[in-house]
Every structure is written in C-alpha cells, then in structure tokens.
Amino acid sequence: MDEQTKQFRLKFKQQLIEWLQLEDKTPEDIVDDQPLFGEGLGLDSLDAVEIVIALKREYNIPQTEVDKNREIFVSFEALADFVQKHL
Amino acid sequence: MPGTSSTIPIIGMGIISALGNDLEATRERLFSQNPPMPALPTKIDTSLALPVFEVAGFPSRGSQPGGYSLQLLMHALDEALRNANLNLERGSKVGVCIGTTVACQLNSIPFYEQLRQGNMPPAEPLINYLEGNPAEYIRRKFGLTGPALTISNACASGADAIGIAATWLRSGVCDIAIAGGTDEINKVPLDGFNALGVCSPQPCRPFDSQRQGLNLGEGAGVIILSNKGQSQLALAGFGKTADAFHITQPDPAGTGLEKAIRLACEDGGIDCDQLAFCNAHGTGTIANDIVESQVFERVLGAGARFLSTKSLTGHTLGAAGAIEAIITLLLLQEKRLPASVRFQVPSPEMPVAPVAKETSLDNSKYALSTSLAFGGSNTALVLAVANGTNEPTKPSRVPCAKTIFAGDNALNQEQLAKTRSKYALRRADRFTTLAIAGIDQSVTTELPENTALLTVSAFGPHKTVFATLDGILDFPEDQIQPTRFSHSVHNAASSYIATAFGLRGPSYALTGFENPLEDALDLAQSLVATGQAPCALVVQVEEQGALTAVLPQICPQQYPVEPEEIVAVYKY
C-alpha cells in the first residue's frame, strides 16, 4: 500500500469514528478487509444513510453515484478505495 | 362478540388536511376524480425539491402559541365540538390527549441561532412553545379539570392519543375525552426525513413497486369519545406494542405490528376476519410497505383488503393516526373504498396488494387503522359503525406508584459511561442515557415483556433538537445528519429503553409543562387497571442545556420547570 493510501485510510477511519459516533473505537479497531455491516464493525441501516450523506458533504460524492455502487459497503477497504478514487 | 363492553362511542369528529377542511369536504374528496396532488412547499423556506400535501384555504394567523399546528388543531376541535353538539363547561372533568411532533419541540431556527451565538434569544418562540403545548392549551382554554397529556410517539402519536383517551374512559378517570393529533409542514422534519432517504421526489405511491418514499403532509384530526354518548360511531378496540428492535427501522418480521392488530381485535371482541378493510400506515417507503403487506397477509389473509390514504393527505406525522381513524370511519359510513391513488404495479416482495379500484363494502361494521412510528412503535385501532350505548365496567384501581429512583444530580459521568457501555448505547444521546441509567440503577428484577413504558419530559431531548438545528444552520439543507434528526424525537428514549430491557408492551412518550408527571403516573395506573400491562414503568427525565440555562431569564417563574437535571423512575 502506498503512503498516500495509508494516510488517507487513517484519516477516513477517524472520520467514520466521528460521523458514526464510534466512541469506543480507535482507527486500529477498524480492520481494512473486515465487513462494516452486521459482522465486523457491526454497522446498520442508519449508519449507511449517515455515510451516504457524509460522503456528499465531505467529498462531494453524489448519492446516485453511491447508489450505483452498493458493493462498496462490503468492507472498509472497498469504501475507502471508492472514496479515494473521488478525491 | 360484537358490541362488548369495551366499545366506546365517538360522539364527534373534526378534520382538516389536504383532502379538505372539514368532514363533508373530506368525505366528498375521498372519491373525487380529481384527488389532491402534492406540490413544492409554499409555507416554509426550503431548497429541497420535495412535494408536500399542504392544507389549502386556511392561512396561518401568524406567530401564536403552538404555531400553525395549534391553529389546525383548534379548527378541527371546533368542528368536532359542533359535530358532537357539545358545549364544554368550565370545570368539567374532560380529558385531553393530543399527538404531535412539531408542536412539542422548540425547533425555531431564529431562536436557536441567537442562543448558540451566546446572545439572548427572542422570547416569542419560547413563550409560544411553552404556551402552545396542544393538550394543555385546550385544557386551559376551556377551563377543563381532567388530565391533559401531549403525546409525541412520532408517526403513531395521533392514534396513540385515541388509545390513551379510551384508557381514561375505561378506567373511570373521566367520562368524556378529546383525542387527536396535529402537525404542520416544517423544515426540520422535511430536512430530517430527506436525510434519512425516505422522501419521494415524486407524488408518493404507497404499496406500488415503483414507490420512492413518502411525501409530508399537514393537518389535524380530533375525535370526542364519551362513555355516556349515543352515536353510530365507536372505537371498538385498540392495541399498542413496541418492537424493541431499532431506532428507525421497522422490525422486518413485523411481529410487533401483528401483535398490535391481534390485540386490537381481541380488545374489540372480534375476529380479524370481521374487519371490512384496513387503512394502512402505508407511507410509501420501501421498508414500511413491505412489512405492512406481509403482516396484513398473515392477519387478514390472502384476500386482505387495504389502502393507504397517505396518497391523498401525505404523511401528516403526529396527526396521521387521528386523521386516518376519522377517514376510516367515513369510509365505513360510505360503505365503499376509493381506488388506491397512483397504485399501479404490485410489488413482487408484497404478498398482498391494496385495493386497485373503487370497492363497495357490504354490511360491514368494523375496520382497522394502523400506525407505525420511529423507534418501533405500533398502534392498531378497530373502528366501528354500531348503534347503542354502553357503560364499561370500571375496574378497581391499584395503589399509587412507588418511587424507586429519584436521581436528581445523582448520576455522575462515570455511571453514565458505564451505562453507555453496558447497553451498547453508541448513538444514544445524553437524554436517553440518563433514562437508561436511572432504570439500570433502580430496577433490580427482570421486567415482564409487556410492561408499559411511559417517559415524561417537559423539554425532551432538546440538546439533540438543537444539534439537528446545528446541521441545518451549518450544512447545505440536503446534507444534515440523519442520526441526529432521528434521535431528536421525544420517543427516541422509549425505543432505546424498550430495546435495552426487552419491553414490548405499550410505550408512550408524554410531554407538557403543567406537571405532566402527575397525569403520566395516573395513566400508568389506568394501563395496569385495564389489563393492558401487568405493570408499568414511568421515567421522568429533564436534561440541562443551553435552553434550560436561559429559561429563568426569559420566562421567570412563568413555568415551574426546574432548570435542573432530573431522572426519576416510578413503578406500579
């Protein structure tokens, strides 16, 4: 993984912790290839809508773009890569 | 056994919505070839291109207690009183229970903008909020002496108000009760529901495969119940349950809704197959409509006859349950159902579809109206056209509640942090955490699943309301945080409590400024006395914040609400 990606993933983990009020989590707790929903981080449908809005607000990624790529929610890695591509 | 002692005569009704400004206009428009269509809001300032169903020909009278919501409510109450031919005498023991979402939150943006800048905010929005608590306003205006409770159970509030009023009558608290709901189109719920991704940019189409979500609406509905009344119309039964599942998502299994419907039928002494039809909650959102149709098939069978009148009124939030109960009665009187507006293609995920064309009802006495709310709150009302009167046997009432926890300032940060971790309260706000910590510290034995849960608070989770307003002030309108909005409703705490302690019985979030605790404790007693729950838990919470800090300066001594943090738990 290049340095830029590493840096971005760390920042993005901190953002997820803030957006989703994951108050007892640190960036280290978010494992790159683990699932975000159900298992893994244990997020749910309300977190999903929170992420969609935050991606629009912070990264200007339109909701329609997210809707077309629902597979990005499978893991942190998939979501982070999707966002990084939109930087 | 139709006509059991539980049936309560409805002696008057009043209604205002996009369908019409009174009963007769509503009745006529239900079957019109030219149904109301939603359009972009004209009464609020918004950049969102979301159509809504506004009330026409009833302009706001400007800044007044309770705002436009209260004006709508008083209009419907006036019609209901005329319809009942009832002259409310001062001093009469009449109960008032009104559901609302907008009128019991201080969500004035100009007020909050000043407050968060550290300026003294304008007094008017606060005074209008305090004086405009709908149930208390009606009690004061008519000089009534019965209980007055405003219920804020999100989208089930209007139906719950009817259930609470019926509980008062059955338990002998009063012989006449005014029940209903009211809400106006407001920027906060519009932005909030949009952020949650449940608003449709097109006119809503409940139960259709192409549905995209809900359209907000506005209006009010009032019914007057009387033990001693003579009327063709009646409330035959009601059922109330909590999912104890999730803060915004309905339980996909629909267990709570199914139980509420079965309870309502049992309460009315009828079999579910005696229901002529169901006026569904039918918001037109993806999740709601699937759950409801699956439950209808299980309870009403493959031939389930149902429709959603939200395609004619929009989703009127705290008013919806009351408006739809009245429409249900009008349809029973008319002995026919209109075609479901904009329903075209059945959804493959739904086992049953709504009525597609105008349908006549033969000799039917009973119909169902369902309401579902944020936080997994389910209400079912069985409404009836029947003749005759009856007086219910009044049950004996149990002794007073026991205060089991009075934790004024007794919950420290450490205890709250422990509570958050013990019950996994990641997203819960401080208001909810206080409530759960109070119960955790005082309830030592396991609570029965059907325990009634009453939360009571003057200001509710006002810090989360303000946090939602922060989003509206700081971000583009389509980018506010949906989690904050969904936690700003009074009944968010009830949802967390239900989930934390596995409570699936009746659950009500009550609010007011004139000692609502007393009426809440009394209601808890009535719920147990009428057999709706084996026991009841009453949780009073007030949190401290910017609002309670300025309250004494803006309205000194006007309202005896302590600017103190309060957590108290009572159990019957």
Side-chain angles (χ1 to χ4, degrees):
Chain A
M1 193 190 311
D2 61 40
E3 193 52 35
Q4 203 184 346
T5 302
K6 220 180 204 173
Q7 288 295 318
F8 172 73
R9 286 192 180 180
L10 178 64
K11 178 188 157 198
F12 192 55
K13 284 177 184 177
Q14 286 160 342
Q15 284 183 313
L16 281 183
I17 289 170
E18 186 200 323
W19 298 340
L20 308 179
Q21 300 166 263
L22 299 164
E23 51 193 28
D24 57 344
K25 296 273 191 288
T26 63
E28 292 75 49
D29 294 327
I30 305 176
V31 182
D32 286 20
D33 59 356
Q34 266 194 3
L36 289 169
F37 292 85
E39 300 299 303
L41 213 49
L43 304 183
D44 65 15
S45 59
L46 183 53
D47 295 306
V49 288
E50 193 72 55
I51 292 172
V52 171
I53 295 269
L55 293 184
K56 166 86 178 135
R57 192 170 63 228
E58 307 291 331
Y59 292 99
N60 205 23
I61 303 174
Q63 191 180 332
T64 45
E65 183 70 13
V66 181
D67 287 343
K68 273 188 286 179
N69 295 280
R70 296 308 282 195
E71 69 281 0
I72 59 173
F73 286 109
V74 76
S75 66
F76 170 79
E77 207 165 39
L79 183 63
D81 287 349
F82 172 80
V83 177
Q84 206 179 354
K85 264 187 238 146
H86 284 80
L87 289 178
Chain B
M1 289 184 303
T4 63
S5 63
S6 60
T7 297
I8 298 174
I10 292 172
I11 60 166
M13 310 194 289
I15 191 169
I16 179 167
S17 76
L19 260 179
N21 294 359
D22 58 32
L23 288 166
E24 285 321 304
T26 303
R27 189 194 299 273
E28 201 174 302
R29 199 83 192 276
L30 275 167
F31 296 93
S32 160
Q33 295 306 308
N34 176 28
M37 283 292 284
L40 295 181
T42 63
K43 296 172 186 169
I44 58 165
D45 173 31
T46 175
S47 61
L48 302 177
L50 296 172
V52 298
F53 285 87
E54 289 184 343
V55 165
F58 186 75
S60 167
R61 288 192 294 273
S63 170
Q64 285 187 0
Y68 190 53
S69 296
L70 194 65
Q71 293 166 31
L72 292 166
L73 178 68
M74 296 313 285
H75 178 81
L77 174 61
D78 187 52
E79 183 184 25
L81 290 172
R82 277 185 280 117
N83 186 243
N85 202 12
L86 181 67
N87 181 23
L88 288 176
E89 284 173 27
R90 298 191 82 77
S92 45
K93 198 172 179 193
V94 172
V96 187
C97 192
I98 303 297
T100 187
T101 64
V102 172
C104 66
Q105 279 190 346
L106 182 56
N107 55 17
S108 157
I109 293 170
F111 178 90
Y112 180 61
E113 212 169 4
Q114 294 302 315
L115 187 70
R116 78 169 188 166
Q117 283 170 14
N119 301 331
M120 185 49 71
E124 203 177 333
L126 178 60
I127 307 267
N128 283 345
Y129 165 63
L130 296 170
E131 289 185 353
N133 180 279
E136 292 175 349
Y137 181 89
I138 293 173
R139 178 165 67 181
R140 275 198 312 275
K141 182 178 164 71
F142 292 96
L144 306 174
T145 57
L149 284 171
T150 293
I151 171 154
S152 195
N153 258 20
C155 310
S157 306
D160 286 339
I162 296 170
I164 289 174
T167 301
W168 285 335
L169 264 60
R170 285 181 181 177
S171 64
V173 169
C174 50
D175 285 322
I176 298 178
I178 295 165
T182 187
D183 256 321
E184 69 196 67
I185 303 276
N186 181 280
K187 192 179 174 81
V188 178
L190 186 73
D191 292 3
F193 281 108
N194 177 61
L196 282 163
V198 295
C199 287
S200 173
Q202 301 295 327
C204 67
R205 40 201 325 156
F207 299 105
D208 187 271
S209 64
Q210 298 302 308
R211 70 195 183 285
Q212 289 180 279
L214 58 83
N215 302 141
L216 285 183
E218 63 185 358
V222 173
I223 70 168
I224 300 176
L225 297 160
S226 169
N227 272 342
K228 299 186 193 304
Q230 294 260 3
S231 175
Q232 186 214 15
L233 307 175
L235 176 72
F238 59 98
K240 175 75 196 166
T241 63
D243 280 351
F245 181 75
H246 189 263
I247 182 73
T248 52
Q249 209 191 332
D251 176 359
T255 315
L257 174 62
E258 180 173 346
K259 190 171 138 197
I261 297 173
R262 293 196 189 281
L263 279 172
C265 290
E266 196 182 309
D267 186 39
I270 64 163
D271 294 327
C272 295
D273 60 12
Q274 287 176 264
L275 294 166
F277 69 95
C278 175
N279 189 354
H281 188 57
T283 51
T285 64
I286 302 293
N288 176 87
D289 293 6
I290 293 177
V291 174
E292 262 196 303
S293 71
Q294 290 174 347
V295 169
F296 292 156
E297 193 222 8
R298 290 207 295 274
V299 181
L300 308 173
R305 207 188 269 156
F306 65 99
L307 79 168
S308 165
T309 52
K310 284 189 176 71
S311 57
L312 299 166
T313 62
H315 189 352
T316 58
L317 303 180
I323 285 177
E324 287 158 25
I326 293 168
I327 291 176
T328 304
L329 286 163
L330 294 176
L331 294 173
L332 271 176
Q333 281 182 325
E334 287 293 301
K335 295 188 168 59
R336 58 186 174 134
L337 301 178
S340 294
V341 173
R342 286 184 295 282
F343 168 76
Q344 284 170 345
V345 181
S347 173
E349 296 149 303
M350 298 185 202
V352 285
V355 288
K357 55 180 200 306
E358 192 174 310
T359 306
S360 61
L361 305 169
D362 320 317
N363 203 16
S364 302
K365 276 180 80 173
Y366 300 100
L368 183 72
S369 182
T370 50
S371 298
L372 283 74
F374 259 10
S377 194
N378 313 291
T379 312
L381 302 176
V382 173
L383 298 141
V385 283
N387 282 308
T389 64
N390 61 74
E391 205 164 331
T393 354
K394 288 172 187 168
S396 57
R397 288 155 67 75
V398 292
C400 280
K402 197 166 120 195
T403 309
I404 54 174
F405 183 73
D408 304 48
N409 299 314
L411 294 167
N412 60 37
Q413 287 309 322
E414 196 192 333
Q415 287 166 321
L416 294 181
K418 268 192 198 157
T419 304
R420 293 186 69 78
S421 147
K422 180 174 173 186
Y423 293 99
L425 302 178
R426 164 167 61 103
R427 287 183 295 229
D429 57 17
R430 186 177 163 78
F431 183 86
T432 291
T433 310
L434 285 168
I436 292 188
I439 300 170
D440 182 59
Q441 303 224 340
S442 55
V443 177
T444 47
T445 53
E446 198 172 327
L447 294 163
E449 189 182 67
N450 291 333
T451 300
L453 170 65
L454 281 69
T455 61
V456 53
S457 176
F459 293 102
H462 69 269
K463 291 203 291 199
T464 305
V465 174
F466 286 167
T468 309
L469 298 185
D470 278 329
I472 294 177
L473 287 166
D474 294 339
F475 303 130
E477 200 179 351
D478 60 348
Q479 291 163 32
I480 72 162
Q481 302 96 325
T483 306
R484 287 188 187 176
F485 168 68
S486 63
H487 287 66
S488 70
V489 295
H490 276 258
N491 66 320
S494 322
S495 173
Y496 277 98
I497 297 168
T499 307
F501 299 96
L503 305 183
R504 294 182 172 82
S507 168
Y508 298 118
L510 306 164
T511 176
F513 302 99
E514 299 168 358
N515 195 12
L517 177 64
E518 198 179 309
D519 287 337
L521 290 171
D522 204 53
L523 176 62
Q525 200 175 350
S526 296
L527 289 167
V528 175
T530 53
Q532 294 178 59
C535 62
L537 201 62
V538 180
V539 188
Q540 184 193 25
V541 182
E542 296 298 344
E543 62 174 348
Q544 282 174 317
L547 175 61
T548 45
V550 296
L551 189 67
Q553 296 160 58
I554 300 182
C555 1
Q557 284 138 26
Q558 192 174 0
Y559 287 92
V561 177
E562 298 284 326
E564 299 269 316
E565 200 141 77
I566 299 172
V567 187
V569 181
Y570 307 81
K571 189 174 171 244
Y572 278 93

